[in-house]
């Protein structure tokens, strides 16, 4: 990308106006000047939100890895592309240059081909935060295979659901992973998951924790010997701008997780352009995003966005609490990190610890701090600003979603005056609108409503894998002609946006998007459970925690309730993963329902958050009498 950065607010407004008044001309110029194309586009944009259909750079040909790797070889061959910091601080960091990355990606791509992977095939990647994870993504992209990364904290069942939904042909995993002082048996989880999968022909296994694992003959292969033999050159597959790049699953308020499909050119252009501007990235900076590549933040802002800019991107395998609560700050000092991007839940957890963990470390290299994934509360914002940024590094509170591909609302550092808890202004090219419940746009400032986007941006997900109708219903029907985020937001007196939270049944716990339906389905699997309902309630560190109301099949169920609680959480861990465990489980005789039988979560949410005094009119419920009993037994 060009070296130019926006310098002041008036310039931001000028560029912004140009981007929304002439979006095609604007994005065409960005695309033309900053990337390598094998063929230019026939049209910059074609779109129709009623279908919905969006095509950016139609007819263009390219390969994203040529843009993320090959083109840097001449000028940045010896520059570190991926800086790997292992879980154990005593293990040396690994500095993978662009030249080395090129060799490793090419070899990996050749191994994929040798196992029969072709353009359009789906490859599931279930790996910890080790270099092979980034390399596997890029290797898929090089040969046009569609990667589907599943966060390596998900359970065997959750993994199998995702593998089956996309009909993956291959799984890439490791013998296990390190997490603080624990290890996790990833290969065992894959083996268990694959018992339910028919389409997977081969499993490539990276050696990381060196434990004895089962290798199924004819299906499982250690990757190291294959890589050793593989050629270090692999021609790029020439991709169409709208060819799929990856699928990434996210939770919905109902049903199975949604496989959001991202395509090639628009995603590349938008993640690269946002990365440069949102983090004020300059050539020799060291940038660190502490997210996991299993989430969209990692895809866009550890791998594709930074590498498209020829940046040095830190990949951290560990956790913020190991070997102690100073680990993040120690890594920043060690690698002289300039931009640090993390989640509010991590900030809140670390803010609870002694300040000595921070003060021990020299954080003077920092220039920009980022926050993403959930609303950042005022206290956490100030702690981050005062103690980590020392009031000199602007905080970019970035709002976006898996579906968006890249950052949508954010301050531009050193340009947009920040305001705690506000994601401030739309990024260039982004057109947010707030809508009221009747579908009317709320114009002007000092309004609060539902956050929508009224114009496509280059990295919008194009569909839900295998279910375009669901894509249309979920995002494009609530407000005609607009993309609906599912979030509420307010616009203050100067036009700054603040996200007020989800308005649907998705709950953000520690920055993880959790839909209530799959968790309730898991709980209902317990033989003693008749019915359940999950709501969120505020939690000091996690932002939200989960509160479950559970009806048992037998009234007065004699079994020890605490054991039952453990069993329920165990089932959730097996079906989804430990991230979805409930903090509180209240056993109840009934759940408040409408006359049509729908559970009134609004009421349950109010009870769980101690707001039972203003439940509103409950007389229209099918069973208003259960409400008082639920209040009386609240945990
Ligand atoms: O509710 C919003 C919240 O996270 C949701 C998207 O989650 P996911 O697809 O997992 O992507 C998270 C990482 C980009 C949104 O609908 N969210 C994300 N960023 C913010 C946020 N809420 C408030 N402030 C943010 N900066």
């Amino acid at each position: 990308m060009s070296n130019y950065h926006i310098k002041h607010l008036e310039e931001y407004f000028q560029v912004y106006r140009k981007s929304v008044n002439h979006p095609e001309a604007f994005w065409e110029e960005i695309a033309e000047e900053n990337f390598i194309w094998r063929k230019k586009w026939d049209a910059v944009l074609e779109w129709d939100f009623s279908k919905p259909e969006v095509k950016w750079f139609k007819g263009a040909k390219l390969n994203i890895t040529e843009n993320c790797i090959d083109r840097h070889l001449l000028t940045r061959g010896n520059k570190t592309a991926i800086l790997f910091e292992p879980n154990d601080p005593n293990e040396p960091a690994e500095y993978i240059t662009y030249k080395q990355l090129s060799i490793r990606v090419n070899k990996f791509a050749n191994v994929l081909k040798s196992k029969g992977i072709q353009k359009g095939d789906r490859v599931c990647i279930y790996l910890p935060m080790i270099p092979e994870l980034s390399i596997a993504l890029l290797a898929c992209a090089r040969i046009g295979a569609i990667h589907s990364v599943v966060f390596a904290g998900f359970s065997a069942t959750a993994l199998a659901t995702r593998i089956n939904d996309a009909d993956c042909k291959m799984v890439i995993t490791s013998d296990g992973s390190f997490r603080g002082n624990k290890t996790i048996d990833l290969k065992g989880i894959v083996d268990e998951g694959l018992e339910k999968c028919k389409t997977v022909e081969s499993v490539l296994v990276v050696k990381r924790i060196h434990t004895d694992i089962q290798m199924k003959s004819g299906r499982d292969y250690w990757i190291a010997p294959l890589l050793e033999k593989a050629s270090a050159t692999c021609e790029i597959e020439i991709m169409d701008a709208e060819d799929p790049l990856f699928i990434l699953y996210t939770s919905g308020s109902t049903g199975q997780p949604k496989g959001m499909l991202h395509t090639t050119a628009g995603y590349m252009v938008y993640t690269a352009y946002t990365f440069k501007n949102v983090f004020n990235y300059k050539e020799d900076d060291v940038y660190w995003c502490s997210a996991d590549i299993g989430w969209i933040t990692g895809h866009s802002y550890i791998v594709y966005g930074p590498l498209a800019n020829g940046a040095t991107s830190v990949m951290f395998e560990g956790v913020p609490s190991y070997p102690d609560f100073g680990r993040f700050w120690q890594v920043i000092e060690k690698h002289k990190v300039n931009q640090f991007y993390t989640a509010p839940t991590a900030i809140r957890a670390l803010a609870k610890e002694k300040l000595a963990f921070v003060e021990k470390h020299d954080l003077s290299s920092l220039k920009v701090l980022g926050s993403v994934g959930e609303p950042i509360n005022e206290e956490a914002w100030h702690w981050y600003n005062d103690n980590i940024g020392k009031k000199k590094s602007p905080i970019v509170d970035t709002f976006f979603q898996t579906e968006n591909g890249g950052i949508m609302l954010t301050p531009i550092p050193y340009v947009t005056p920040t305001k705690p808890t506000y994601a401030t202004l739309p990024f260039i090219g982004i057109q947010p609108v707030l809508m009221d419940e009747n579908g009317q746009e709320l114009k002007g400032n000092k309004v609060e409503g539902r956050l929508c986007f009224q114009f496509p941006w280059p990295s919008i997900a194009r569909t839900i894998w295998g279910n375009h109708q669901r894509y249309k219903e979920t995002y494009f029907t609530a407000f005609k002609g607009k993309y609906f985020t599912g979030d509420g937001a307010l616009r203050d007196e100067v036009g700054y946006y603040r996200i007020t939270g989800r308005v649907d049944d998705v709950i953000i716990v520690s920055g993880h998007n959790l839909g209530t339906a799959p968790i309730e389905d898991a709980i209902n699997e317990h033989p003693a459970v008749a019915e359940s309902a999950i709501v969120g309630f505020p939690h000091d560190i996690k932002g939200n925690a989960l509160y479950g109301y559970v009806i048992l099949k037998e009234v007065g169920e004699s079994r020890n309730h605490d054991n039952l609680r453990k069993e329920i959480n165990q089932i959730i861990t097996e079906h989804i993963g430990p991230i979805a465990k409930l903090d509180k489980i209240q056993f109840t005789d009934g759940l408040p329902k409408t006359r049509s039988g729908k559970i009134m979560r609004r009421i349950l949410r109010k009870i769980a958050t101690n707001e039972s005094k203003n439940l509103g009119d409950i007389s229209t419920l099918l069973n208003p009498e259960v409400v008082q009993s639920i209040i009386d037994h609240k945990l």
Side-chain angles (χ1 to χ4, degrees):
M1 304 283 306
S2 85
N3 291 326
Y4 188 75
H5 285 92
I6 292 169
K7 299 274 182 309
H8 48 82
L9 200 56
E10 193 38 51
E11 189 185 355
Y12 157 80
F13 284 120
Q14 274 168 16
V15 179
Y16 180 77
R17 275 194 297 271
K18 184 175 159 198
S19 74
V20 300
N21 292 337
H22 307 284
E24 298 191 23
F26 177 81
W27 288 110
E28 178 159 48
E29 195 180 315
I30 302 283
E32 207 149 36
E33 286 180 3
N34 295 289
F35 301 93
I36 295 182
W37 303 91
R38 290 301 181 106
K39 174 183 171 287
K40 289 278 163 69
W41 41 90
D42 305 316
V44 178
L45 172 64
E46 279 181 10
W47 69 291
D48 179 351
F49 273 176
S50 72
K51 283 185 176 167
E53 186 179 85
V54 178
K55 289 185 177 147
W56 280 93
F57 310 110
K58 192 180 163 196
K61 303 281 181 199
L62 73 155
N63 186 288
I64 196 167
T65 69
E66 183 167 44
N67 283 278
C68 287
I69 304 171
D70 304 48
R71 67 155 155 166
H72 303 310
L73 294 178
L74 215 55
T75 51
R76 300 183 177 108
N78 295 322
K79 177 176 175 179
T80 302
I82 295 175
L83 197 173
F84 173 62
E85 175 64 30
N87 176 64
D88 178 354
N90 298 316
E91 191 183 323
E94 201 181 331
Y95 300 80
I96 303 170
T97 64
Y98 274 92
K99 218 184 266 165
Q100 291 163 337
L101 182 65
S102 167
I103 294 169
R104 291 177 68 172
V105 168
N106 278 268
K107 279 177 165 269
F108 208 117
N110 280 325
V111 170
L112 296 180
K113 277 186 169 174
S114 74
K115 292 288 165 222
I117 300 298
Q118 296 176 352
K119 179 176 177 188
D121 286 343
R122 274 80 60 208
V123 173
C124 173
I125 303 176
Y126 187 72
L127 279 170
M129 284 286 287
I130 54 177
E132 287 80 359
L133 174 52
S134 299
I135 291 167
L137 263 68
L138 294 161
C140 287
R142 189 149 191 99
I143 64 168
I146 305 170
H147 57 74
S148 169
V149 181
V150 177
F151 171 58
F154 276 119
S155 70
T157 310
L159 174 65
T161 307
R162 288 159 177 77
I163 291 173
N164 286 335
D165 185 75
D167 291 327
C168 292
K169 205 166 160 186
M170 173 187 271
V171 177
I172 304 173
T173 189
S174 64
D175 52 355
S177 65
F178 293 118
R179 252 190 104 67
N181 54 12
K182 288 193 286 211
T183 57
I184 300 167
D185 171 23
L186 289 190
K187 178 63 167 51
I189 298 173
V190 169
D191 288 343
E192 189 188 332
L194 287 185
E195 284 170 19
K196 298 181 207 118
C197 304
K198 293 206 172 62
T199 53
V200 173
E201 294 169 8
S202 50
V203 178
L204 300 183
V205 188
V206 178
K207 210 168 245 182
R208 176 60 185 142
I209 65 169
H210 298 266
T211 44
D212 247 354
I213 55 163
Q214 297 284 326
M215 294 291 279
K216 189 169 167 186
S217 150
R219 186 195 71 180
D220 302 349
Y221 304 90
W222 290 110
I223 192 146
L226 298 174
L227 286 170
E228 214 164 281
K229 280 193 299 201
S231 150
T233 29
C234 175
E235 282 300 307
I236 55 169
E237 183 77 34
I238 309 246
M239 305 293 283
D240 190 89
E242 285 297 334
D243 274 340
L245 176 64
F246 65 86
I247 299 168
L248 185 60
Y249 286 86
T250 185
S251 303
S253 42
T254 54
Q256 290 299 329
K258 300 168 287 190
M260 304 314 307
L261 182 79
H262 284 281
T263 57
T264 306
Y267 177 82
M268 171 183 80
V269 168
Y270 195 73
T271 54
Y273 186 63
T274 44
F275 172 77
K276 191 193 96 170
N277 288 291
V278 173
F279 299 104
N280 197 250
Y281 187 83
K282 307 223 167 102
E283 183 63 45
D284 294 319
D285 288 347
V286 174
Y287 160 89
W288 177 22
C289 166
S290 76
D292 192 289
I293 292 175
W295 313 114
I296 191 69
T297 305
H299 281 60
S300 303
Y301 299 110
I302 297 178
V303 185
Y304 291 113
L307 297 181
N309 280 276
T312 298
S313 180
V314 175
M315 244 186 115
F316 177 52
E317 183 185 27
V319 292
S321 54
Y322 176 81
D324 63 38
F325 288 99
R327 182 65 161 132
F328 271 6
W329 324 127
Q330 181 252 329
V331 173
I332 291 173
E333 177 175 22
K334 178 176 173 189
H335 297 300
K336 300 195 172 45
V337 169
N338 302 112
Q339 291 90 357
F340 177 58
Y341 191 27
T342 194
T345 187
I347 298 167
R348 287 190 295 263
L350 295 171
K352 278 207 145 37
E353 302 303 324
K354 287 196 218 67
L355 216 46
F357 285 120
V358 179
E359 286 165 348
K360 262 207 323 239
H361 299 287
D362 175 6
L363 304 180
S364 61
S365 57
L366 287 171
K367 296 195 289 191
V368 177
L369 297 177
S371 169
V372 64
E374 55 182 316
I376 176 163
N377 51 307
E378 194 143 358
E379 216 184 326
W381 195 98
H382 284 296
W383 186 86
Y384 200 29
N385 188 44
D386 297 353
N387 299 301
I388 307 306
K390 320 283 182 202
K391 296 193 173 136
K392 71 173 182 50
S393 298
I395 296 177
V396 289
D397 176 358
T398 64
F399 167 88
F400 76 114
Q401 310 175 289
T402 307
E403 296 85 337
N404 306 150
I407 293 166
M408 303 293 280
L409 305 176
T410 178
I412 304 284
Y414 301 103
V415 171
T416 317
T418 57
K419 178 173 176 183
T421 77
Y422 282 75
T424 73
L425 295 172
F427 186 75
I428 294 152
I430 300 304
Q431 301 189 31
V433 282
L434 296 180
M435 308 295 289
D436 72 14
E437 284 176 39
N438 305 317
Q440 295 302 309
E441 184 180 339
L442 296 158
K443 299 233 160 118
N445 292 340
K446 288 183 102 165
V447 288
E448 181 168 349
R450 295 176 177 218
L451 177 64
C452 295
F453 297 106
Q454 63 175 358
F455 193 85
W457 58 99
S459 65
I460 182 175
R462 303 302 197 253
T463 191
I464 292 175
W465 181 260
N467 199 344
H468 197 66
Q469 187 58 26
R470 186 176 180 199
Y471 177 67
K472 180 174 175 171
E473 279 161 16
T474 311
Y475 305 106
F476 297 92
T477 44
F479 302 100
K480 201 162 173 277
K482 297 181 173 62
Y483 168 91
F484 175 41
T485 56
D487 284 292
L490 62 81
R491 195 161 50 222
D492 76 358
E493 58 287 353
V494 298
Y496 273 15
Y497 288 87
R498 175 186 186 169
I499 307 298
T500 52
R502 301 290 309 182
V503 295
D504 57 11
D505 290 335
V506 169
I507 306 167
I508 313 275
V509 178
S510 300
H512 302 315
N513 228 342
L514 299 174
T516 49
I519 304 177
E520 290 164 4
D521 289 349
I523 299 172
N524 299 347
E525 295 270 311
H526 191 290
V529 171
E531 200 179 1
S532 60
I534 305 292
V535 297
F537 71 99
H539 184 281
D540 276 359
I541 291 179
K542 302 183 199 179
N544 293 296
L546 299 178
Y547 193 117
Y549 298 89
V550 174
I551 306 179
L552 297 176
K553 279 185 186 148
E554 299 200 15
V555 186
E557 166 77 44
S558 61
R559 281 205 282 162
N560 180 331
H561 277 182
D562 273 342
N563 275 347
L564 210 47
R565 289 192 174 97
K566 280 195 197 123
E567 287 169 23
I568 287 172
N569 269 332
Q570 183 55 31
I571 292 200
I572 294 174
T573 305
E574 281 160 19
H575 278 69
I576 298 152
I579 52 175
K581 282 206 272 193
L582 310 185
D583 270 39
K584 293 187 181 175
I585 301 179
Q586 176 177 350
F587 296 104
T588 169
D589 294 335
L591 293 168
K593 292 194 176 165
T594 61
R595 288 183 190 276
S596 59
K598 197 170 172 283
I599 297 173
M600 286 293 283
R601 285 168 213 284
R602 183 177 57 78
I603 292 176
L604 294 173
R605 209 174 289 133
K606 287 209 162 150
I607 298 174
T609 50
N610 293 322
E611 287 177 48
S612 52
K613 288 214 168 54
N614 49 30
L615 292 181
D617 181 16
I618 57 167
S619 63
T620 56
L621 288 177
L622 184 69
N623 50 353
E625 71 286 352
V626 301
V627 174
Q628 193 54 48
S629 146
I630 295 178
I631 294 172
D632 292 345
H633 295 97
K634 183 189 171 285
L635 299 175

